[in-house]
Amino acid sequence: MLRSEAAVAFYFGLLISMVFNFRIVLNPRSLITGGLGDPLLQTWELAWLHRFLTEGGDLWTANQFYPAEDNFAFTDTLLGYLPLSLFGDGQYAAVFRYNVAFVLAFALAFAGCYLLAKQLGSSWQAAALAGVVFAWAPWRLSHLHHLNVVSTGGIALALWALARGHGYSFQERTEPRPWWIFAGWLIAAWQVSIGFAIGLPFVYLMGLVGLVVAVSAWRRRSRPVVIANAYGAAVFLVVTWFLVTPYMRVLETYGFARTWREIEVFSPPVNGLWTAPYETWLWVETIFNDHSTIPEPGIGEKLLFPGLVVVLLAVIGLFVSAWRVRVRVLLGSAVVLSVVLSLGVNFLDGALYRFLWDFVPGWDAMRTPGRLVLWAILPLALLAAGAVTEFGRLLVDRTQVALKLIAIYLLVPALAALLEGIPRWPHVQAPGIPPDVARVFEQTQEPILMLPIDDTSDFTYLLWSTEGFPKLANGNSGNFPPQYQEISEATRTFPDQRSIDVLKHHGIRKIVVVKSRPYGVDFAARPVAGLPVERVEEGDIVKFTITG
């Protein structure tokens, strides 16, 4: 197995990912890619999974947003990375764990799409092109701070295993392998467990796959294939239901819901399809990197450029390809449908997207239509792979070029696509926990509010809380419970009687002000005379304790 094609594909994907991410490979416990926002949230999430594995308790009620329950289900949970959470305590292990997952995400995406294209009948050079595009398309580089979005390897791996299990190829069929079918459904369940931002459309894709498989199995009367699919689909549905349940509780309890206005705001313009993010080294300061006409907010969600190489080869692949015409039409149709949906309201005023929003369960939970371009990139990669495979056949049949030279020529598209995927990512130092804060976390069992409250500070507090996981009233997940909103609003003027009453109402009597945070000195200097509050200053922090 260690020398199999699948293993070799993973090794190459891992090597490329490590080279592209060499700075965090060299500094895995201290550097983070993409800033001090969502990466810190996801670092904390992976650390919370470690805490759950080692200490048990309620998985879905984490140590953020006290006293709100089920707060771990306020965003994607990254549960699929649970095996990485078996070892390591504290913030430095948490950063290391996140960086390992980040590097692996790209390696798995490359290996998965390589194997899928190879299984479907492409040459290994064409499969390499597909893997590179699926892992390092310029669109993906704009989501470097979203581990849940770049973790797409399970999609291609699941489709590969299912195709292998059914003996399916775009060119010829082979004998079915039922265990591979079952493995495909398990991999699909793993992919969904990472999160629903990408997982929700994938669930519907797997539903479509299951329907096609059921019809095919019924026509072929293959009992082992039917059994493997039945057991695999059952596991997939059970896992999906287990994951959906806490989100349904959150929706019922807190009423978190996306609005059509958010879809309007985050829908990419048409020119977003050929606009690359700043994170692409090759296209920066070119005509493909003009952001002046991309409206705020959320520019990063509106840059959908899949890469020039794959688009050109996919267009060629519609006419010159190793795939049958019917396959090309299906792949081309998938590209068009996905692109239309990714534009949200900016195609036919969003009529098709609105239909899905109104009638497809869960579709109204997504606020960023642009991420649906992923489902255009995969068929684009397969169309391009068909073209490169056919080029290889034509070179062998119609020229006298040596086979070794042909093999090298056919690698050029993959290398060109890889050139487009070279990232220029920002790296930041993970903010280490101050010793004074660490002592408070170690000595305090009761809930704590950290001040000042702001987006960046709350992300930082979450990272610090991986040292012992004290209960925090702070948190940040994109969805904010009413308790947090009330506490945040009231404590702008802390300490005063109103803020004290609100905090007491929510069971919070310990407040820690970090003076080195923005506006921290202002909070620390406020008087407490006449208020039921004790104030103790220790180095960089000021501790307030409500006594009344």
Side-chain angles (χ1 to χ4, degrees), residues 41-50 59-62 64 70-82 85 147-148 190-197 242-244 246-247 250 477:
L41 168 64
Q42 293 168 337
T43 298
W44 166 81
E45 287 182 299
L46 295 176
W48 176 255
L49 295 178
H50 169 75
L59 169 64
W60 300 108
T61 300
Q64 68 165 342
D70 288 325
N71 53 65
F72 197 55
F74 287 180
T75 187
D76 283 349
T77 62
L78 304 177
L79 268 173
Y81 288 114
L82 192 68
S85 300
L147 179 60
N148 56 326
W190 173 79
Q191 175 66 50
V192 173
S193 72
I194 290 175
F196 285 105
F242 166 77
L243 296 169
V244 165
Y247 289 94
V250 165
S477 65

Side-chain angles (χ1 to χ4, degrees), residues 373-455:
V373 78
L374 167 70
W375 306 101
I377 290 175
L378 182 56
L380 279 173
L382 295 178
L383 280 170
V388 173
T389 301
E390 182 65 6
F391 293 162
R393 187 190 68 79
L394 293 174
L395 284 172
V396 171
D397 291 348
R398 302 185 182 184
T399 69
Q400 301 300 316
V401 180
L403 291 179
K404 289 184 178 180
L405 284 178
I406 291 176
I408 295 173
Y409 293 159
L410 294 178
L411 267 179
V412 171
L415 294 175
L418 190 62
L419 190 65
E420 289 189 278
I422 295 177
R424 50 189 300 271
W425 288 336
H427 298 86
V428 294
Q429 193 80 19
I433 184 172
D436 301 316
V437 175
R439 280 194 297 272
V440 172
F441 285 177
E442 181 181 354
Q443 299 169 0
T444 305
Q445 301 298 318
E446 58 188 307
I448 300 171
L449 171 67
M450 304 290 294
L451 291 176
I453 292 178
D454 59 77
D455 286 349

Side-chain angles (χ1 to χ4, degrees), residues 162 166 181 185 208-218 225-226 229:
L162 285 169
H166 288 92
I181 295 174
W185 286 103
L208 179 61
V209 169
L211 181 62
V212 172
V213 163
V215 172
S216 176
W218 178 79
V225 169
V226 171
N229 277 295

Side-chain angles (χ1 to χ4, degrees), residues 247-531:
Y247 289 94
M248 297 301 293
R249 289 201 306 265
V250 165
L251 182 61
E252 181 179 353
T253 303
Y254 302 103
F256 294 150
R258 302 302 184 189
T259 65
W260 186 250
R261 175 57 184 162
E262 288 179 281
I263 302 301
E264 293 174 336
V265 168
F266 285 99
S267 290
V270 174
N271 61 316
L273 292 168
W274 56 82
T275 306
Y278 287 122
E279 291 80 9
T280 53
W281 169 80
L282 181 65
W283 297 121
V284 68
E285 297 183 0
T286 69
I287 59 172
F288 293 107
N289 196 232
D290 181 9
H291 295 184
S292 62
T293 58
I294 306 296
E296 289 276 10
I299 285 182
E301 297 285 359
K302 301 172 183 177
L303 308 178
L304 311 183
F305 188 47
L308 184 60
V309 171
V310 70
V311 170
L312 293 178
L313 287 172
V315 171
I316 295 172
L318 288 171
F319 306 97
V320 180
S321 178
W323 313 143
R324 297 187 299 272
V325 172
R326 182 177 63 179
V327 171
R328 287 179 256 165
V329 170
L330 286 174
L331 291 174
S333 300
V335 171
V336 172
L337 177 61
S338 300
V339 167
V340 165
L341 290 175
S342 70
L343 294 176
V345 302
N346 290 319
F347 183 85
L348 296 179
D349 292 327
L352 181 57
Y353 198 95
R354 185 76 202 207
F355 176 82
L356 298 177
W357 173 278
D358 289 335
F359 296 105
V360 176
W363 205 269
D364 57 355
M366 299 188 297
R367 69 169 181 167
T368 51
R371 295 179 184 180
L372 294 172
V373 78
L374 167 70
W375 306 101
I377 290 175
L378 182 56
L380 279 173
L382 295 178
L383 280 170
V388 173
T389 301
E390 182 65 6
F391 293 162
R393 187 190 68 79
L394 293 174
L395 284 172
V396 171
D397 291 348
R398 302 185 182 184
T399 69
Q400 301 300 316
V401 180
L403 291 179
K404 289 184 178 180
L405 284 178
I406 291 176
I408 295 173
Y409 293 159
L410 294 178
L411 267 179
V412 171
L415 294 175
L418 190 62
L419 190 65
E420 289 189 278
I422 295 177
R424 50 189 300 271
W425 288 336
H427 298 86
V428 294
Q429 193 80 19
I433 184 172
D436 301 316
V437 175
R439 280 194 297 272
V440 172
F441 285 177
E442 181 181 354
Q443 299 169 0
T444 305
Q445 301 298 318
E446 58 188 307
I448 300 171
L449 171 67
M450 304 290 294
L451 291 176
I453 292 178
D454 59 77
D455 286 349
T456 302
S457 293
D458 278 348
F459 283 130
T460 301
Y461 301 149
L462 285 176
L463 175 65
W464 291 349
S465 77
T466 59
E467 298 285 354
F469 290 96
K471 294 178 181 178
L472 294 183
N474 307 78
N476 199 326
S477 65
N479 291 305
F480 300 93
Q483 298 96 321
Y484 173 87
Q485 296 182 38
E486 184 180 12
I487 291 170
S488 177
E489 176 66 28
T491 54
R492 291 179 181 179
T493 56
F494 180 86
D496 62 2
Q497 193 59 53
R498 177 175 175 270
S499 61
I500 291 171
D501 291 342
V502 168
L503 291 171
K504 288 171 60 178
H505 172 72
H506 291 293
I508 300 167
R509 293 178 175 271
K510 181 73 69 176
I511 300 90
V512 177
V513 173
V514 183
K515 292 187 290 185
S516 57
R517 300 303 303 174
Y519 305 105
V521 172
D522 175 58
F523 275 98
R526 293 176 184 176
V528 297
L531 296 171

